[in-house]
Amino acid sequence: MIESLLIANRGEIARRILRTARRLGVRTVAVHSDVDADLPFVREADEAVCVGPADPALSYRNAEAILAAAKSTGAQAIHPGYGFLSENADFARTVAGQGLIWVGPGADAIAAMGDKIRARNLMEAAGVPVAPGTREPVADVEAALAAGIGYPVMIKAAAGGGGMGMAVAADETALRAEFDKVRAFAERMFGDGSVLLERYFPRVRHVEVQILGLADGRVVALGERECSVQRRNQKVAEEAPSPAVTPELRERLLAAAVRAGEAVGYRNAGTVECLLDPATGEFFFLEMNTRLQVEHPVTELVWGVDLVEEQLRVASGLPPTFGTLRLTGHAIELRVNAEDPKRFLPGPGTVTTWVEPAGHGVRVDSGYAAGTTVPRFYDSLMAKLIVFGEDREQALARARDAVAGFEIAGPKSNLPFFAELLENDEFRSGDYDTGIVGRMRGR
């Protein structure tokens, strides 16, 4: 097993990785920006290094500073968490080139899946269903019109992720209006203005499969997660298993996800994201996230695994802890963000009250505590509230109680939205799609 680990991230995910590392006896190193110095993950690590100012480009995305911290502290491995440098193929390659262990897939797999056009083509060749779309970058609006994908159409940044760099066009006028906006955004945010087109399905579910590429070369799938509760194409609540997935559909989804991983020689944890038409049972490859997902806890609870431990074992060349996997119960995750619960606009600030719910089947992965400050420089995620039940009804009941028992004052929070969601007839029935939040807000 790896003996010392630098965690190149912050907040709740850094703290969550620390928890497993501490249990395994792995020495931990936290890196942080100057504004994060008082956060719990910094105090809880065995050693901490400030790698720069608040601007993530000068701290959490500062590859040179993070590598220097690893060298100065004698860290043996680097875990990138999610976001920041987690899907940066060049950084992964540099880490390995300097004799450190990268806790994630190889740089080649990251690069292959990071380009959405290349990823689509690889998946199609591997027999994974893909939605109708372009097989190469679209140069301009005229080429987009000539592609003949049909309407509505999704315009996507080829190098994008996290729901960013996307727009839907219902007709030619909208396509002309949105194309250059997406291309300019992609260039600014990702340094790559390449754009692709995919047929847009207005009433679909967003379902993803957790895969794990093992040290012996096998790829296994640990079930699916339902991720259709989204605002601005970004997830805010997830559950496992999906209420829309039958055993027969699960078998097809998992088999396709395994083929996707095998196609790129995948190692470590990753997620194959799909769009699902619940009316027909058809699903289409959307993208592969070559990292640990924010929503990984729901998979951990229903499959009885610690995915961070499995990541560390793969990176160490060790076999998994599990043998035959068995799906048990139901889990729901709610992303507690510092944001307005109506318009979902960020609302950072100093936490004056922080009381976490507790009880059987309740888990909180938090990044903050009373007296700490949610800064404006990073994602607004403060904590993840995860509940487990013997079935979905019990999980929903525990989620309602846990939301009511979670007290946060200071920054704004979306806890009132979750109280509303958990009483929503669509969500309670399990028969919902990616438009649920818009319908709740009258859009």
Side-chain angles (χ1 to χ4, degrees), residues 46-318:
D46 294 311
E47 194 169 351
V49 179
C50 181
V51 289
D55 184 344
L58 302 176
S59 52
Y60 297 107
R61 291 206 302 265
N62 186 339
E64 289 185 6
I66 289 171
L67 289 167
K71 183 176 180 180
S72 68
T73 59
Q76 183 185 11
I78 292 179
H79 194 308
Y82 54 73
F84 297 129
L85 293 169
S86 63
E87 294 181 282
N88 186 310
D90 290 339
F91 182 61
R93 193 171 286 112
T94 300
V95 168
Q98 294 198 8
L100 299 169
I101 297 171
W102 172 253
V103 185
D108 289 345
I110 295 174
M113 293 295 100
D115 183 327
K116 287 183 170 54
I117 295 173
R118 183 182 175 193
R120 274 179 53 87
N121 295 341
L122 282 169
M123 294 302 99
E124 190 171 22
V128 179
V130 299
T134 52
R135 290 182 169 83
E136 58 186 26
V138 182
D140 52 37
V141 173
E142 297 307 319
L145 292 170
I149 302 301
Y151 296 102
V153 64
M154 175 74 82
I155 311 160
K156 300 173 66 173
M164 297 187 292
M166 302 164 64
V168 176
D171 52 33
E172 178 178 334
T173 301
L175 180 56
R176 288 185 180 277
E178 297 294 339
F179 186 88
D180 287 337
K181 292 179 185 178
V182 171
R183 183 166 58 183
F185 180 89
E187 184 64 47
R188 185 172 70 253
M189 290 296 295
F190 310 119
D192 182 348
S194 300
V195 170
L196 65 90
L197 302 178
E198 285 182 348
R199 185 66 184 269
Y200 177 70
F201 299 91
R203 296 296 295 263
V204 292
R205 300 181 76 127
H206 187 142
V207 177
E208 63 188 24
V209 177
Q210 175 71 57
I211 63 169
L212 189 66
L214 304 179
D216 63 10
R218 290 180 295 138
V219 177
V220 298
L222 288 83
E224 85 285 348
R225 297 184 287 253
E226 175 72 56
C227 306
S228 296
V229 183
Q230 304 178 7
R231 48 96 170 106
R232 296 191 299 276
N233 296 313
Q234 295 176 316
K235 306 164 190 170
V236 288
E238 302 91 6
E239 57 181 312
S242 166
V245 174
T246 63
E248 182 273 333
L249 176 55
R250 179 171 298 118
E251 187 175 332
R252 290 193 288 123
L253 270 168
L254 270 56
V258 168
R259 290 198 301 275
E262 291 173 342
V264 291
Y266 203 85
R267 299 292 175 272
N268 220 279
T271 296
V272 178
E273 304 207 9
C274 299
L275 295 178
L276 169 67
D277 181 348
T280 65
E282 288 185 284
F283 62 89
F284 304 101
F285 172 81
L286 183 62
E287 64 183 358
M288 181 188 280
N289 295 129
T290 51
R291 54 172 167 79
L292 189 67
Q293 290 280 89
V294 178
E295 57 271 25
H296 75 274
V298 292
T299 294
E300 294 185 318
L301 292 178
V302 298
W303 291 95
V305 298
D306 181 329
L307 283 170
V308 173
E309 179 176 0
E310 301 305 333
Q311 285 191 291
L312 294 173
R313 292 185 70 85
V314 171
S316 302
L318 299 173

Side-chain angles (χ1 to χ4, degrees), residues 377-399:
F377 306 98
Y378 315 116
D379 185 272
S380 63
L381 182 66
M382 293 187 289
K384 298 182 311 199
L385 172 57
I386 313 106
V387 297
F388 174 81
E390 293 181 6
D391 54 30
R392 191 169 187 266
E393 281 304 310
Q394 188 178 69
L396 285 168
R398 286 177 175 170

